[in-house]
């Protein structure tokens, strides 16, 4: 048995001001070798003593699956055989917990954390704690202020003091409080001196800065340890700078030195053996004992390293969300919690910006198959997300349908594109490019090279791009001058959207679906990268498109539900009926077809109603009255399109207003789909119409207007179907006006024409002024819409229209005057009808598109009594398509072509057509 001197060694102190006098936790006293192991508190190893002799064999650097735990516990050490040495027990008896800043944000929360620690019945517990929320930011701010010689660093430091002092006053009392406050004041006065030095120098070194910012963790860990110790007597706090040794790397990161850390941990533990250890997150030391940090958000990494050093059973990361979501819940409200993630998936998610976990957290724990569980301190009942080896994934039988697990984004990037024919086949070009990038210390986030080798494109943080571009310009000066390289281009304002999922590798078509979702949301992809591991597909998009892109792909893969934000313009008779139809059908659409239609806004000409989550359609009339604000179409559009979490937007124009119609172009350009029964855009000036259709065809934005002709009857879609399948339109002829259909169906010789018109007006079939129907303009608009749809380039003025309003009555002031005078003209139409009757014919008011002669007309025509047009009743429309295929017998569509219910129904079916274009199941 080796004889050890059982002395407490002074733990290595980097700067005396930062260390808590260990008297609270680990009394600095000399303990002589005792026969009672429990009293063997702290011992130091003789320097050259090989760890293996103590049975503590380092596992570092061995194969991945090594999970051997050294089980010796304090109680196992017999004085005779343990050489008076307290070993660090390792393995399953340890549970590691990490509490993020928000978990320890207030005194009440710190108490809550202490309760969680105490109620964990694990044999041993190692707790890693972050600084109180915002404190690390405050500390960085102090440095920035001092460095830029801004005196307010003094008051900012006071605020730091005040925050911790008041928390301590809330939490602690007696000796604990006195000791803590004395330490706090001591630290603050040292910090003041240091910041003063930084202020004078106007400069700060990294290690100085790391030393300052790490104080938040020192204070929070100490406060927590006092509270825990009230319940768990065997509790020590650990200044991890004494244990965690890391080497700085060139890329502003640090690599843990596991061997040295393990050695120091053994030493620390031998001096502070305890069952509960409260350790500082974030901070560490270099091998030269200089304080450093694990960089922003590094406490997760601290916990993972600790988990590995202790070979813990599990590392639980407590934060303020229920676990890892399929996307950042602040950006995608529909994101769902992922119950399990593989290490690889978690790594990819965190690397690409899911800041719920620091990306480097995975590596240390993966080595020992230690699961990480992310849990919500504010919702303890939620099981959280378990990150573990895929073998145990989906154990509970919960198979995720989507091959894609989650999405993450990184903003503030720039793309650099190095392009030129001289790059192809020249070995070493890529290495020269990235050599130059490395020289300026820039971090390359993704790389994409076309297989033609004509260009290499990569993304770097925006703030580094200037230096990168300059370095490349100078490195390739000669090649640029000689034209071998054509350019080094910088594309600023980019973001990365990463799609992550281990099953993507074995599922064909994932990228097609991804790009399809992006195209449908009208998002331009600037660069693409997919590693051969296929864990992730990364695309670069414009920064302003990023959130929309994220939502579009998320809803496509994850929700598998087509969610559409709708804005309804014109809640009059038709718009109102549509809203009522939507109200009645919404639940069925959602449940049976996974189509989620949300009306985010309703606007009339004076008032509009906006909602962040979707208007309750059972009360829309009441809400519009109560909560309506002054209508503003621009604001309305912006709200429906931009201010929510839904990737697809449609504006439904239920007005007959040409001002509203003139906005369609702009809306389509912004990626907003448009659906309308308003004829004004398609029958307006030809050049505008052509521009609109060209824009619609170029983009993936949809413009549907079935209800402009024949209300709910499938007229436009029938015509499209014919054209798209290669049929050729010869002629379209039809009764397009429900009103005029009614009038002539009832003008059978028993009553004068004016009486039939009066009856139609009474029954509500006509416009308030029947001249609007009788003039034929409305029919002419429908003719022009069908003519243009068939490829004819006609203006409205090219269509001769026979008006049924007698010439002398066209200028009559009111509808009433008109109706009063109309009987005077009855005889003309009576005569015409009589003549037709005599030759076995009827009068019908029709519109005709003559595609062969490229013309159209609207007029009163005579049809033989056995013609389909003569068989109509009520206000039916009838449309006959004569085509190359339907030459002998035209294709006829017939049915009610007017009225609020059928028109709204036509609009509704356009909305569902849009949903299916956007991926809803059929
Ligand atoms: P802590 O201080 O506890 O370490 P962080 O703020 O670092 O907490 O991380 C938690 C936050 O990460 C959450 O509040 C959430 O807004 C954000 N986050 C980003 N992406 C995701 C995601 N995919 N899943 C869960 N949270 C995410
Ligand atoms: N307090 C540190 C930070 O805010 C580390 C952490 O909380 O993870 O960056
Ligand atoms: Mg964090």
């Amino acid at each position: 048995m080796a004889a050890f001197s059982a002395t407490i060694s002074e733990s290595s102190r980097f700067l005396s001001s930062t260390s808590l006098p260990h008297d609270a936790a680990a009394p600095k006293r000399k303990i002589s070798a005792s026969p009672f192991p429990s009293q063997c508190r702290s011992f130091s190893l003789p320097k050259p003593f090989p760890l293996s002799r103590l049975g503590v064999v380092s596992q570092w650097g061995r194969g991945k699956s090594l999970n051997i735990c050294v089980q010796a516990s304090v109680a196992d050490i017999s004085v005779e055989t343990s050489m008076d040495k307290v070993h660090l027990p390792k393995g399953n008896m340890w549970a590691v917990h990490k509490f993020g800043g928000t978990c320890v944000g207030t005194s009440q929360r710190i108490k809550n954390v202490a309760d969680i620690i105490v109620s964990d019945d694990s044999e041993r517990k190692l707790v890693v704690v972050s600084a109180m929320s915002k404190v690390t930011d405050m500390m960085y701010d102090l440095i920035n202020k001092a460095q830029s010689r801004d005196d307010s660093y003094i008051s900012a430091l006071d605020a730091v003091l005040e925050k911790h002092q008041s928390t301590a006053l809330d939490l602690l009392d007696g000796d604990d409080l006195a000791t803590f406050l004395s330490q706090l004041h001591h630290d603050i006065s040292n910090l003041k001196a240091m910041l003063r030095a930084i202020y004078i120098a106007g400069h700060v070194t990294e290690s100085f800065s790391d030393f300052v910012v790490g104080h938040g963790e020192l204070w929070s860990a100490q406060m927590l340890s006092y509270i825990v110790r009230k319940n768990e007597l065997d509790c020590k706090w650990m200044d991890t700078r004494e244990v965690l040794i890391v080497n700085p790397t060139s890329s502003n990161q640090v690599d843990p030195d596991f061997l040295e850390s393990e050695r120091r941990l053994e030493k620390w533990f031998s001096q502070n053996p305890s069952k509960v250890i409260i350790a500082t997150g974030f901070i560490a030391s270099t091998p030269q004992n200089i304080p450093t940090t694990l960089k922003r958000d590094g406490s997760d990494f601290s916990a993972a390293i600790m988990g590995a050093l202790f070979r813990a059973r599990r590392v639980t990361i407590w934060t303020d969300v229920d676990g890892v979501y399929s996307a950042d819940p602040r950006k995608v409200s529909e994101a769902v919690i992922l119950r399990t993630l593989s290490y690889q998936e978690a790594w990819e998610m965190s690397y690409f910006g899911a800041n719920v976990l620091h990306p480097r957290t995975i590596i240390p724990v993966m080595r020992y198959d230690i699961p990480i569980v992310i849990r919500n301190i504010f919702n303890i009942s939620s099981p959280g997300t378990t990150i573990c080896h895929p073998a145990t994934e989906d154990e509970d039988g919960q198979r995720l349908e989507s091959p894609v697990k989650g999405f993450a984004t990184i903003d503030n990037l720039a793309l650099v594109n190095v392009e030129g024919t001289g790059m192809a086949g020249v070995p070493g070009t890529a290495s020269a490019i990235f050599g130059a990038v490395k020289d300026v210390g820039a971090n390359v986030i993704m790389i994409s090279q076309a297989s033609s080798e004509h260009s290499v494109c990569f993304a770097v943080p925006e703030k580094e791009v200037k230096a990168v571009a300059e370095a490349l310009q100078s490195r390739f000066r000669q090649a640029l001058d000689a034209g071998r390289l054509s350019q080094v281009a910088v594309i600023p304002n980019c973001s990365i959207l990463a799609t992550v999922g281990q099953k993507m590798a074995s599922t064909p078509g994932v990228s097609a679906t991804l790009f399809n979702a992006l195209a449908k949301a009208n998002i331009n992809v600037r660069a693409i990268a997919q590693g051969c591991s296929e864990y992730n597909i990364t695309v670069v998009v414009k920064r302003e498109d990023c959130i929309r892109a994220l939502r579009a792909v998320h809803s496509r893969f994850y929700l598998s539900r087509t969610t559409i934000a709708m804005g309804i313009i014109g809640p009059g008779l038709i718009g109102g009926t549509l809203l009522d139809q939507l109200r009645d059908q919404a639940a069925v659409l959602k449940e049976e077809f996974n189509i989620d239609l949300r009306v985010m806004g309703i606007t009339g000409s004076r008032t509009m109603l906006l909602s962040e989550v979707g208007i309750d359609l059972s009360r829309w009339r009441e809400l519009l009255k109560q909560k309506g604000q002054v209508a503003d179409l621009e604001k309305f559009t912006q709200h429906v399109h931009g201010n929510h979490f839904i990737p697809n937007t449609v504006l439904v124009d239920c007005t007959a207003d040409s001002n509203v119609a003139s906005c369609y172009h702009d809306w389509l350009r912004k990626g907003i789909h448009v659906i309308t029964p308003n004829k004004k855009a398609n029958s307006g000036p030809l050049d505008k119409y052509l521009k609109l259709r060209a824009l619609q065809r170029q983009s993936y934005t949809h413009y549907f207007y079935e209800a402009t002709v024949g209300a709910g009857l499938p007229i436009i879609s029938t015509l499209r179907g014919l054209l798209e399948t290669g049929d050729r339109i010869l002629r379209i002829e039809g009764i397009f006006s429900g009103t005029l259909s009614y009038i002539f169906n009832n003008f059978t010789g028993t009553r004068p024409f004016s009486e039939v018109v009066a009856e139609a007006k009474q029954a509500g079939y006509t416009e308030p002024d029947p001249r609007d129907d009788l003039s034929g303009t409305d029919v002419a608009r429908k003719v022009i819409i069908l003519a243009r749809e068939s490829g004819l380039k006609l203006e409205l003025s090219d269509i001769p229209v026979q008006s049924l309003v007698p010439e002398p009555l066209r200028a009559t002031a009111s509808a009433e005057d008109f109706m009063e005078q109309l009987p005077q003209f009855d005889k003309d139409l009576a005569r015409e009808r009589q003549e037709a009757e005599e030759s076995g014919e009827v009068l019908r008011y029709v519109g005709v598109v003559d595609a062969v002669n490229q013309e159209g007309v609207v007029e009163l025509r005579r049809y033989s009594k056995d013609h389909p047009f003569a068989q109509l009743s009520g206000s039916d429309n009838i449309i006959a398509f004569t085509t190359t295929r339907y030459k002998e017998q035209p294709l006829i569509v017939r049915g009610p072509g007017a009225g609020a219910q059928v028109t709204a129904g036509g609009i509704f079916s356009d909305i569902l057509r849009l949903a299916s274009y956007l991926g809803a199941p059929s």
Side-chain angles (χ1 to χ4, degrees):
M1 184 181 100
F4 274 17
S5 72
T7 46
I8 303 285
S9 74
E10 178 70 49
S11 51
S12 42
R13 300 269 163 102
F14 311 104
L15 285 142
S16 60
S17 67
T18 63
S19 303
L20 176 76
H22 276 218
D23 44 4
K28 265 186 272 170
R29 57 200 160 116
K30 191 168 165 95
I31 301 175
S32 46
S34 153
F36 305 106
S38 60
Q39 289 174 8
C40 299
R41 285 285 153 104
S42 290
F43 298 89
S44 65
L45 285 173
K47 270 268 148 65
F49 194 85
L51 291 173
S52 54
R53 278 187 55 197
L54 290 176
V56 183
V57 181
S58 166
Q59 308 302 328
W60 296 109
R62 295 204 183 167
K64 181 178 155 209
S65 59
L66 266 180
N67 196 7
I68 303 165
C69 307
V70 179
Q71 298 284 352
S73 70
V74 175
D76 293 331
I77 302 167
S78 93
V79 176
E80 290 78 18
T81 58
S82 72
M83 306 159 284
D84 293 339
K85 178 74 184 75
V86 177
H87 294 296
L88 168 64
K90 291 182 183 174
N92 275 341
M93 78 281 281
W94 285 100
V96 171
H97 292 268
K98 177 257 169 174
F99 294 92
T102 42
C103 304
V104 291
T106 63
S107 51
Q108 191 49 48
R109 289 185 183 174
I110 295 177
K111 272 193 201 137
N112 184 31
V113 165
D115 290 344
I116 291 179
I117 298 169
V118 172
S119 63
D120 175 356
D121 57 10
S122 303
E123 194 182 329
R124 292 173 179 274
K125 297 169 255 190
L126 181 283
V127 176
V128 172
V129 62
S130 289
M132 292 177 76
S133 63
K134 307 268 165 29
V135 166
T136 311
D137 291 338
M138 288 165 98
M139 302 306 279
Y140 275 107
D141 185 51
L142 289 177
I143 293 175
N144 291 337
K145 285 194 157 115
Q147 184 176 218
S148 51
R149 301 205 167 111
D150 173 351
D151 287 320
S152 66
Y153 79 87
I154 298 171
S155 54
L157 183 62
D158 288 344
V160 171
L161 170 64
E162 168 52 31
K163 186 175 176 100
H164 290 89
Q165 190 162 273
S166 63
T167 310
L169 284 168
D170 265 1
L171 281 176
L172 311 176
D173 50 24
D175 287 352
D176 290 352
L177 179 63
T179 318
F180 179 78
L181 287 183
S182 120
Q183 182 65 44
L184 177 67
H185 281 100
H186 185 238
D187 289 345
I188 293 281
S189 77
N190 280 336
L191 284 174
K192 198 170 266 174
M194 296 184 79
L195 290 164
R196 176 80 190 144
I198 294 171
Y199 179 92
I200 293 167
H203 172 73
V204 66
T205 62
E206 196 181 336
S207 53
F208 232 68
S209 162
D210 278 353
F211 171 72
V212 172
V213 298
H215 275 73
E217 271 72 7
L218 290 168
W219 297 322
S220 59
Q222 288 173 62
M223 285 194 283
L224 179 62
S225 68
Y226 282 116
I227 306 294
V228 173
R229 202 170 310 121
K230 282 190 180 157
N231 298 285
E232 301 240 18
L233 292 173
D234 194 9
C235 166
K236 302 272 160 55
W237 87 279
M238 176 196 278
D239 175 345
T240 34
R241 293 174 305 185
E242 296 174 26
V243 171
L244 221 62
I245 302 303
V246 297
N247 289 298
T249 68
S250 55
S251 52
N252 191 32
Q253 289 186 338
V254 292
D255 286 336
D257 178 339
F258 285 106
L259 269 178
E260 179 58 19
S261 301
E262 196 161 24
R263 200 182 67 73
R264 295 205 189 193
L265 176 62
E266 300 273 358
K267 181 176 169 191
W268 185 92
F269 191 81
S270 69
Q271 293 161 351
N272 303 279
S274 45
K275 290 201 164 168
V276 182
I277 302 171
I278 311 285
T280 53
F282 186 46
I283 53 178
S285 292
T286 67
Q288 296 74 37
N289 294 336
I290 302 191
T292 186
T293 68
L294 304 189
K295 309 307 164 198
R296 285 316 304 259
D297 297 316
S299 296
D300 299 335
F301 192 20
S302 306
I305 300 170
M306 285 300 178
L309 289 176
F310 284 90
R311 315 290 195 273
R313 179 173 78 247
R314 182 189 321 116
V315 174
T316 308
I317 297 199
W318 294 89
T319 183
D320 60 351
V321 283
D322 280 353
V324 180
Y325 280 85
S326 50
D328 186 340
R330 290 167 298 192
K331 295 177 179 162
V332 181
S333 64
E334 265 105 1
V336 295
I337 286 287
L338 304 170
R339 292 286 307 280
T340 56
L341 273 178
S342 71
Y343 289 119
Q344 194 65 38
E345 287 169 336
W347 184 83
E348 300 268 359
M349 286 285 282
S350 56
Y351 176 80
F352 286 103
N355 57 328
V356 63
L357 198 65
H358 188 280
R360 305 204 63 202
T361 313
I362 300 302
I363 309 298
V365 287
M366 193 165 117
R367 219 164 183 164
Y368 295 97
D369 272 356
I370 301 170
I372 298 183
V373 186
I374 314 245
R375 293 190 61 187
N376 189 350
I377 191 136
F378 306 111
N379 183 16
I380 303 222
S381 61
S382 161
T385 300
T386 302
I387 300 166
C388 53
H389 203 267
T392 58
E393 194 190 8
D394 295 339
E395 245 176 6
D396 53 359
Q398 182 209 19
R399 293 208 72 82
L400 292 160
E401 278 170 32
S402 173
V404 169
K405 281 280 182 80
F407 305 89
T409 56
I410 312 180
D411 287 330
N412 301 326
L413 299 179
L415 268 186
V416 180
N417 191 28
V418 184
E419 210 172 293
T421 44
M423 278 165 65
V426 181
T429 312
S431 127
I433 292 173
F434 294 110
V437 176
K438 177 178 171 285
D439 290 347
V440 295
N443 183 20
V444 176
I445 293 163
M446 66 150 257
I447 305 170
S448 152
Q449 179 179 17
S451 56
S452 71
E453 297 183 44
H454 186 73
S455 74
V456 173
C457 161
F458 56 93
V460 292
E462 194 112 55
K463 60 181 187 319
E464 290 168 3
V465 75
K466 190 165 173 276
V468 169
E470 282 167 8
L472 289 171
Q473 300 278 3
S474 97
R475 171 69 185 73
F476 292 105
R477 183 75 281 145
Q478 220 181 335
L480 284 162
D481 289 346
R484 276 180 285 119
L485 280 191
S486 56
Q487 62 166 350
V488 174
V490 170
I491 307 163
N493 301 324
C494 291
S495 292
I496 274 184
L497 165 65
T499 305
V500 173
Q502 201 141 352
K503 290 202 199 111
M504 287 183 352
S506 51
T507 315
V510 171
S511 49
T513 313
L514 174 77
F515 290 108
N516 197 260
L518 290 170
K520 282 180 169 167
N522 213 28
I523 284 153
N524 183 27
V525 174
R526 292 186 152 166
I528 304 165
Q530 172 176 5
C532 39
S533 72
E534 294 184 53
Y535 288 136
N536 133 21
I537 300 172
T538 307
V539 297
V540 179
V541 297
K542 263 196 263 173
R543 188 167 55 203
E544 70 239 40
D545 286 344
C546 186
I547 291 197
R548 231 160 32 84
L550 175 66
R551 291 170 191 168
V553 294
H554 186 272
S555 66
R556 181 68 187 84
F557 276 105
Y558 227 91
L559 304 179
S560 74
R561 173 197 289 176
T562 312
T563 311
I564 305 177
M566 310 198 359
I568 309 289
I569 305 163
L573 184 60
I574 290 173
T577 309
L578 173 67
L579 284 163
D580 293 341
Q581 289 180 355
L582 284 166
R583 173 200 62 206
D584 297 343
Q585 195 60 12
V588 176
L589 288 175
K590 210 165 172 175
E591 272 155 36
E592 289 182 16
F593 301 97
N594 271 337
I595 297 172
D596 186 356
L597 302 176
R598 300 203 198 159
V599 179
M600 313 301 283
I602 300 173
T603 183
S605 54
R606 283 185 296 275
T607 326
M608 67 180 181
L609 175 65
L610 306 179
S611 160
E612 292 294 333
V613 286
I615 295 168
D616 172 3
L617 292 184
S618 64
R619 297 169 58 223
W620 71 266
R621 285 186 180 84
E622 181 189 330
L623 292 170
L624 186 61
K625 264 193 214 118
Q626 286 167 2
K627 304 219 167 126
Q629 44 182 292
V630 176
D632 175 338
L633 194 52
E634 203 165 308
K635 196 168 153 199
F636 179 81
T637 308
Q638 225 165 39
H639 172 85
V640 178
H641 188 43
N643 194 16
H644 53 79
F645 292 87
I646 305 169
N648 306 297
T649 310
V650 60
L651 287 177
V652 184
D653 171 18
C654 299
T655 72
D657 192 332
S658 45
N659 288 326
V660 179
S662 67
C663 301
Y664 298 172
H665 191 273
D666 190 40
W667 294 342
L668 291 175
R669 213 165 34 79
K670 288 185 174 136
I672 303 173
H673 310 288
V674 179
I675 290 175
T676 189
N678 180 352
K679 292 179 271 295
K680 292 293 158 51
N682 282 14
S683 61
L686 181 64
D687 59 335
K688 280 199 178 154
Y689 166 82
L690 291 174
K691 266 195 207 140
L692 190 62
R693 297 305 306 276
L695 176 69
Q696 175 220 336
R697 293 211 168 104
Q698 280 157 19
S699 65
Y700 277 83
T701 317
H702 301 287
Y703 171 43
F704 296 139
Y705 40 84
E706 181 64 89
T708 53
V709 183
L713 295 179
I715 310 286
I716 306 275
S717 47
T718 302
L719 175 53
R720 283 229 178 139
L722 294 171
L723 290 167
E724 282 165 11
T725 56
D727 203 351
R728 203 163 70 80
I729 303 296
L730 302 174
R731 178 184 188 82
I732 305 169
E733 184 169 353
I735 296 172
F736 295 106
S737 158
T739 315
L740 292 165
S741 173
Y742 178 88
I743 290 173
F744 284 97
N745 295 343
N746 288 285
F747 184 39
T748 50
T750 55
R751 289 168 297 164
F753 184 72
S754 60
E755 215 178 297
V756 182
V757 173
E759 182 188 281
K761 182 168 168 12
Q762 199 96 49
Y765 285 132
T766 68
E767 293 295 318
D769 187 339
R771 283 175 295 182
D772 292 341
D773 300 302
L774 296 172
S775 69
T777 320
D778 190 60
V779 176
R781 287 192 184 277
K782 292 172 181 167
V783 166
I784 203 82
I785 290 171
L786 294 177
R788 287 174 178 178
E789 200 67 40
S790 315
L792 272 56
K793 295 202 164 52
L794 294 176
E795 291 283 4
L796 190 58
S797 55
D798 295 330
I799 311 287
V801 181
Q802 179 188 353
S803 172
L804 297 179
V805 182
E807 183 71 52
L809 298 187
R810 287 184 193 165
T812 306
S814 73
E816 286 67 34
D817 290 352
F818 164 75
M819 288 305 290
E820 221 165 81
Q821 295 175 43
L822 188 60
Q824 297 167 21
F825 301 88
D826 276 341
K827 55 182 179 314
D828 297 345
L829 273 172
R831 195 183 51 248
E832 264 194 69
R833 199 206 66 79
Q834 188 58 38
E835 280 171 21
E837 170 109 38
E838 279 158 15
S839 31
E841 291 171 333
V842 295
L843 293 180
R844 292 292 181 258
Y845 191 77
V846 296
V848 181
V849 176
D850 179 348
V852 178
N853 296 306
Q854 312 261 309
E855 59 189 31
V857 66
V858 174
E859 61 188 11
L860 199 58
R861 284 193 174 179
R862 285 161 55 163
Y863 292 88
S864 118
K865 281 192 174 157
D866 54 8
H867 190 275
F869 286 15
Q871 322 289 323
L872 288 192
S873 59
S875 62
D876 279 5
N877 279 193
I878 185 163
I879 291 93
F881 296 93
T882 309
T883 70
T884 320
R885 285 181 202 147
Y886 294 94
K887 204 164 180 178
E888 305 308 322
Q889 282 290 336
L891 171 66
I892 288 185
V893 180
R894 173 188 160 169
Q901 286 295 343
V902 289
T903 309
I907 305 168
F908 200 169
S909 79
D910 269 352
I911 296 170
L912 297 185
R913 190 192 325 250
L914 173 68
S916 75
Y917 274 49
L918 295 175
S922 53

